[in-house]
Amino acid sequence: LQNEEDSSPREEQGRLGWELFCNTNLLIDIQNSRIACCDSLDTLKKEGYATESFVKVPLFLERGLVEFEADTPNGPLRCVLDTGTTWNILNSECDTSVWESDNILEYSFLKIGGVDFGPTSFHRIPIRIPIHIDALLGIEFFKTHLVFLDFVGRAAYTKVQ
């Protein structure tokens, strides 16, 4: 806290986000209410996870976001994984309110690493920030997909629950 004598603004003291885990691996298993740091896929296997069914793709971190590429019927999307977002969001203009069911786009498939993860719904919402984002995969995605992030090896492993 600042005292009354020191009214100057303070520099940023810290930030929470994926950078906290940059030297480790992170398991996000929302269906089983687990988020854990883990040293390897071998440890996950010992804990009962079927790691042989994970799909591995490159993890992109250079923009300060946790991203990977996925394919849709409309072409590739660079997807940001975001546990702070409720919906899956497609960066798109919309003619209706974001709450309207007409504003939801259902892709017949979402392929990650060439594997079809099934139909996926996105809310169409324009994302107006300084960098372009194709899509956000939020808690809707995490509820049905196990995610293991290997920050050191720059790989994302995903599995349908």
Side-chain angles (χ1 to χ4, degrees):
L1 296 173
Q2 294 177 335
N3 60 36
E4 291 179 21
E5 295 172 13
D6 180 16
S7 61
S8 61
R10 291 192 172 197
E11 291 184 33
E12 181 179 32
Q13 297 295 312
R15 181 176 11 168
L16 288 178
W18 71 265
E19 291 97 344
L20 183 65
F21 306 101
C22 68
N23 294 317
T24 188
N25 301 314
L26 184 66
L27 172 71
I28 305 169
D29 182 359
I30 298 296
Q31 191 174 39
N32 292 304
S33 301
R34 291 183 184 162
I35 296 178
C37 291
C38 182
D39 62 348
S40 68
L41 282 174
D42 289 337
T43 299
L44 282 183
K45 188 171 188 149
K46 289 176 188 171
E47 292 296 320
Y49 286 93
T51 58
E52 59 278 350
S53 60
F54 283 141
V55 175
K56 180 182 177 182
V57 294
L59 182 62
F60 305 114
L61 302 170
E62 71 276 358
R63 299 189 321 156
L65 303 167
V66 178
E67 300 175 286
F68 64 79
E69 286 195 359
D71 291 313
T72 71
N74 291 353
L77 288 178
R78 188 152 175 175
C79 299
V80 175
L81 290 168
D82 187 356
T83 58
T85 300
T86 302
W87 296 331
N88 297 328
I89 297 174
L90 183 66
N91 186 0
S92 175
E93 296 300 322
C94 54
D95 296 330
T96 62
S97 166
V98 297
W99 308 105
E100 306 266 338
S101 61
D102 292 348
N103 194 37
I104 297 174
L105 175 65
E106 177 90 16
Y107 282 134
S108 59
F109 66 83
L110 183 73
K111 289 184 180 179
I112 301 170
V115 176
D116 188 353
F117 279 67
T120 304
S121 298
F122 286 88
H123 288 77
R124 290 182 284 212
I125 300 174
I127 301 171
R128 293 189 172 90
I129 60 174
I131 60 173
H132 178 76
I133 292 176
D134 291 336
L136 296 170
L137 294 175
I139 292 298
E140 279 183 323
F141 180 81
F142 288 101
K143 281 183 178 178
T144 55
H145 300 85
L146 181 70
V147 176
F148 180 70
L149 301 171
D150 177 353
F151 289 104
V152 175
R154 298 282 170 104
Y157 297 83
T158 313
K159 177 184 173 195
V160 175
Q161 294 272 71

